[in-house]
Amino acid sequence: MKIKKQNHFQAEVSTSSLNDIMFFLLLFFLIISTVTNPNVIKVLLPKSKSGQTLNKQNITLSVTENKKYYINQREVPFSQLEPELIKACQGISEPTIVLHLPKNLTVQDLVDVMQIGAKHKLKMVLATSTK
């Protein structure tokens, strides 16, 4: 009597871990796509824990609580602010205007100054203090 072995090998693919792998790949690509978004706008807020330094030639524009405007420690009336800023930026390649505004001024005061920079395509940065 001849006894046959019943060890037939059948190839199987275990797909139980495939769901986990697909989930992690999906999560990875979602996170990467939001990090590399070129439309992200960096905003400097009035208070920050760390500061950002600029190595370019800077022009400081300070506004006091009484709405007196100073360009590089020289007082300028608001009506003459635009031509004085243009005059201060002449001769400087890629000028950066650093705005020093007290935190109790309104947003409209900031927008009034930034409109001048936007009109003449000047780079403006809001100075912050560390906590």
Side-chain angles (χ1 to χ4, degrees):
M1 170 155 81
K2 192 172 182 183
I3 301 176
K4 291 186 179 182
K5 293 183 181 180
Q6 296 191 355
N7 291 343
H8 296 287
F9 179 74
Q10 293 183 343
E12 292 182 13
V13 177
S14 176
T15 60
S16 62
S17 64
L18 192 60
N19 291 336
D20 294 337
I21 293 171
M22 293 302 290
F23 175 73
F24 284 120
L25 284 174
L26 178 69
L27 188 65
F28 173 76
F29 287 118
L30 284 175
I31 291 172
I32 292 299
S33 68
T34 58
V35 170
T36 60
N37 188 358
N39 297 327
V40 174
I41 299 172
K42 294 182 181 178
V43 178
L44 297 176
L45 300 174
K47 287 192 177 185
S48 65
K49 291 184 180 179
S50 64
Q52 180 181 14
T53 59
L54 299 172
N55 295 329
K56 297 180 181 178
Q57 294 177 339
N58 299 331
I59 298 168
T60 59
L61 174 60
S62 303
V63 182
T64 63
E65 293 177 358
N66 302 333
K67 295 185 184 179
K68 291 185 179 181
Y69 299 89
Y70 294 90
I71 299 176
N72 293 333
Q73 290 89 25
R74 188 172 50 89
E75 187 174 355
V76 176
F78 184 73
S79 60
Q80 294 296 317
L81 186 62
E82 186 172 353
E84 290 294 326
L85 270 178
I86 295 168
K87 189 169 116 178
C89 292
Q90 288 178 347
I92 299 174
S93 62
E94 298 182 27
T96 302
I97 299 171
V98 181
L99 300 174
H100 294 271
L101 281 92
K103 61 183 176 182
N104 59 353
L105 286 181
T106 63
V107 175
Q108 186 61 47
D109 297 326
L110 174 65
V111 170
D112 290 341
V113 174
M114 293 190 78
Q115 281 179 344
I116 297 170
K119 182 178 177 183
H120 297 284
K121 297 181 181 171
L122 299 172
K123 182 178 179 183
M124 292 191 155
V125 178
L126 181 62
T128 61
S129 61
T130 57
K131 286 187 175 181

